[in-house]
């Protein structure tokens, strides 16, 4: 299955999760503990973040082969941009609901080349 199809399939559930108060609280707690409890962050990084980064990198490499991501794109930077965008949104004081998060995630993944382009209308 092409990366764009995978992302298109999983995005609604990802938006629901990212908009949930429990997810927002978890992200805030983990980020807040990073300096005072580096061992906690190391475990979180190793067991949660790294496997997801590896999956994202594999999808981006495939998207490069498919021509939807530039062949010279820095995949670590793209992954950081996608993760950072989501983290920024879920930690805002007035976070988006699931529908707005879906719209936002669609835009983020489209910019990264992992979501199909918007349909253009011809007049």
């Amino acid at each position: 299955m092409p990366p764009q199809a995978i992302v298109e399939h999983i995005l609604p559930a990802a938006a629901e999760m990212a908009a949930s108060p429990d997810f927002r609280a978890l992200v805030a707690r983990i980020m807040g503990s990073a300096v005072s409890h580096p061992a906690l962050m190391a475990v979180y990084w190793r067991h949660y973040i790294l496997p997801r980064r590896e999956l994202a990198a594999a999808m981006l490499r495939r998207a490069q082969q498919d021509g939807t991501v530039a062949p010279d794109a820095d995949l670590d930077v793209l992954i950081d941009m996608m993760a950072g965008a989501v983290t920024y949104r879920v930690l805002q004081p007035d976070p988006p609901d699931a529908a707005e998060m879906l719209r936002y995630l669609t835009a983020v993944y489209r910019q990264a080349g992992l979501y199909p382009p918007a349909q253009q209308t011809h007049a």
Side-chain angles (χ1 to χ4, degrees):
M1 183 180 289
Q4 290 184 342
I6 294 168
V7 170
E8 195 169 16
H9 178 73
I10 65 168
L11 224 49
E16 287 285 335
M17 182 187 71
S20 77
D22 289 341
F23 180 79
R24 292 182 61 242
L26 175 64
V27 171
R29 283 188 200 106
I30 294 288
M31 295 298 161
S33 298
V35 173
S36 58
H37 297 86
L40 173 64
M41 181 52 108
V43 168
Y44 178 71
W45 189 265
R46 187 171 48 255
H47 293 285
Y48 185 82
I49 301 294
L50 281 181
R52 282 153 184 80
R53 287 184 72 88
E54 290 167 5
L55 287 172
M59 287 187 8
L60 287 164
R61 282 191 296 275
R62 170 73 188 275
Q64 283 177 316
Q65 293 171 354
D66 294 347
T68 61
V69 171
D72 63 344
D74 185 322
L75 302 187
D76 283 328
V77 171
L78 278 175
I79 294 167
D80 288 349
M81 288 169 47
M82 291 185 295
V86 174
T87 302
Y88 176 78
R89 281 294 161 121
V90 302
L91 294 178
Q92 291 181 350
D94 186 20
D97 62 12
E100 174 57 21
M101 184 56 82
L102 179 59
R103 186 209 62 76
Y104 182 72
L105 289 175
T106 298
V108 168
Y109 281 83
R110 184 172 283 134
Q111 291 298 313
L114 289 176
Y115 196 85
Q119 296 296 321
Q120 295 182 359
T121 57
H122 300 299

